[in-house]
Amino acid sequence: MMPRVHLPRFWLPCLAWRMRRLRFVRKIRLDRYFPGRARVGLIFALSVVIFVCWFPRFGFASEVLEQKFDGIVVPRLWVQVTPQIHGVISRILFAPGQRVSKGDPLFEIEPDDFAISVRIAQAELDESRARLSMAEDAVGRQRQLLKQNSTPQQTARQSEVDVEIARATNARNEAALDKAQLALSRTHVLAAISGIVGHPQAAPGALVEPTTGTVLAEIVQLDPILVSFDVPYNERQRALDNAGTTTTEELFQRITLSLELPSGRIYEHSSKPEYLGSQIDQSTGMLTIWAEFSNPDRVLLPGLKVRVISRLND
């Protein structure tokens, strides 16, 4: 609610009386040069001018609390692309600066050795399945013979153990095939997130391995993007008091954020605070706040310094 202005009940007659007492009014003798209605009109016009000039002093204040803070643009997500297998890079499947989606292939590692491992694992699995089938047939015959008392119980029991061993071998070979197929699939290094991929840091023919921490490329998500800015703890408490709330969530809903770019232009997309840091910087007494901004044209880039304009709306 805007504050109500309280003016004296007889402010206009008093103002006219004061005007008549002024020396310049007496000097020009309003009663001689502006008789009757003309004099009243002139006094009214002067009253309006003085009223307009003094009107803001009666307590009309903006309902929007505006503050400015220094901010910096940071990626919403950022990952390093690393190999998961040991091998030699055969192809690079992207161009620097290209927009990629999660799951897109970025690099290819020579697959021949891994394809051979898959065929070997498949053959071992086929063999173990055949042995399991033979063991199951044998245990079936031993059970029939045992019912007829035509085979020793120990022999029948041994056939059952052979089946369990065959099943375990078969399960191990199934896992070995899955592992070989997984390694083969990893010869295509995929994008872990959607975003902009940087310059490749390995060339075709390079030997890469996961244990050395080799970084093949980096991907950053630029749309949406985050802006972080530091706020003094006292300013946060003052904003809570002005908003008439004790919860940060409610306060954030009433705040609108805009950005002033280094050129002085106001960024076209606005936002709201997203989340608050969990602790105060002991050296500065500041809290860090993050906000997410739409960035379809890549105007905001990581590392860009901006001015964050915070408006607390009624």
Side-chain angles (χ1 to χ4, degrees):
M1 295 292 295
M2 296 187 67
R4 180 176 298 174
V5 177
H6 296 282
L7 296 175
R9 179 174 299 176
F10 303 106
W11 66 276
L12 187 56
C14 292
L15 182 60
W17 179 79
R18 293 292 298 174
M19 292 290 294
R20 286 196 298 269
R21 288 181 58 87
L22 292 176
R23 180 176 300 174
F24 77 91
V25 174
R26 292 201 306 271
K27 185 175 181 179
I28 64 175
R29 301 181 63 180
L30 288 178
D31 56 342
R32 173 178 297 179
Y33 297 100
F34 298 94
R37 293 183 179 179
R39 184 172 66 252
V40 173
L42 177 61
I43 294 175
F44 179 77
L46 292 174
S47 302
V48 171
V49 172
I50 295 175
F51 178 73
V52 171
C53 294
W54 282 80
F55 193 67
R57 299 193 180 187
F58 288 98
F60 273 86
S62 174
E63 291 297 318
V64 177
L65 175 63
E66 180 177 299
Q67 295 175 293
K68 292 186 178 182
F69 306 97
D70 292 329
I72 189 167
V73 178
V74 295
R76 185 70 174 82
L77 293 174
W78 172 80
V79 297
Q80 292 181 325
V81 179
T82 59
Q84 295 179 288
I85 57 172
H86 178 94
V88 176
I89 299 234
S90 59
R91 288 194 301 163
I92 297 175
L93 306 175
F94 67 92
Q98 178 181 334
R99 185 188 298 272
V100 297
S101 299
K102 181 178 180 180
D104 286 351
L106 303 178
F107 295 87
E108 183 183 71
I109 296 174
E110 290 184 356
D112 294 346
D113 290 345
F114 300 96
I116 292 172
S117 297
V118 169
R119 292 200 296 271
I120 292 173
Q122 183 65 62
E124 291 177 347
L125 177 60
D126 292 341
E127 180 183 357
S128 65
R129 284 174 175 172
R131 291 185 181 279
L132 175 59
S133 179
M134 292 176 60
E136 289 175 341
D137 291 343
V139 77
R141 289 193 300 271
Q142 288 298 321
R143 286 172 181 171
Q144 291 294 328
L145 292 174
L146 186 61
K147 290 179 180 179
Q148 300 171 3
N149 294 323
S150 300
T151 185
Q153 188 172 1
Q154 182 178 359
T155 302
R157 175 59 184 157
Q158 183 61 50
S159 67
E160 293 178 352
V161 171
D162 291 342
V163 169
E164 295 300 323
I165 292 174
R167 286 175 178 167
T169 302
N170 188 71
R172 183 175 64 248
N173 289 337
E174 286 179 344
L177 177 61
D178 291 341
K179 184 177 181 179
Q181 290 174 336
L182 178 62
L184 179 61
S185 70
R186 287 176 172 172
T187 58
H188 284 90
V189 182
L190 308 179
I193 62 172
S194 298
I196 306 300
V197 62
H199 194 278
Q201 300 181 25
L207 178 65
V208 296
E209 51 186 345
T211 56
T212 59
T214 303
V215 177
L216 303 180
E218 294 181 349
I219 304 175
V220 294
Q221 186 183 88
L222 299 181
D223 185 26
I225 202 165
L226 292 181
V227 174
S228 70
F229 57 100
D230 294 332
V231 176
Y233 180 79
N234 292 338
E235 292 295 335
R236 171 182 175 269
Q237 293 303 114
R238 188 163 73 93
L240 287 170
D241 294 340
N242 290 332
T245 181
T246 58
T247 64
T248 302
E249 292 77 11
E250 183 178 345
L251 173 63
F252 282 179
Q253 289 302 314
R254 295 174 57 182
I255 289 178
T256 301
L257 298 178
S258 55
L259 301 178
E260 181 181 329
L261 302 177
S263 63
R265 181 170 67 88
I266 300 300
Y267 185 58
E268 59 183 343
H269 299 285
S270 60
S271 182
K272 291 185 177 296
E274 185 170 304
Y275 53 93
L276 179 71
S278 59
Q279 60 184 4
I280 299 175
D281 189 320
Q282 295 295 322
S283 60
T284 62
M286 297 284 194
L287 284 165
T288 301
I289 298 177
W290 286 267
E292 182 181 282
F293 285 83
S294 178
N295 191 33
D297 300 322
R298 305 187 204 174
V299 174
L300 304 178
L301 297 175
L304 180 68
K305 293 182 179 180
V306 295
R307 289 283 283 170
V308 180
I309 304 171
S310 172
R311 293 183 177 90
L312 175 61
N313 302 302
D314 189 10

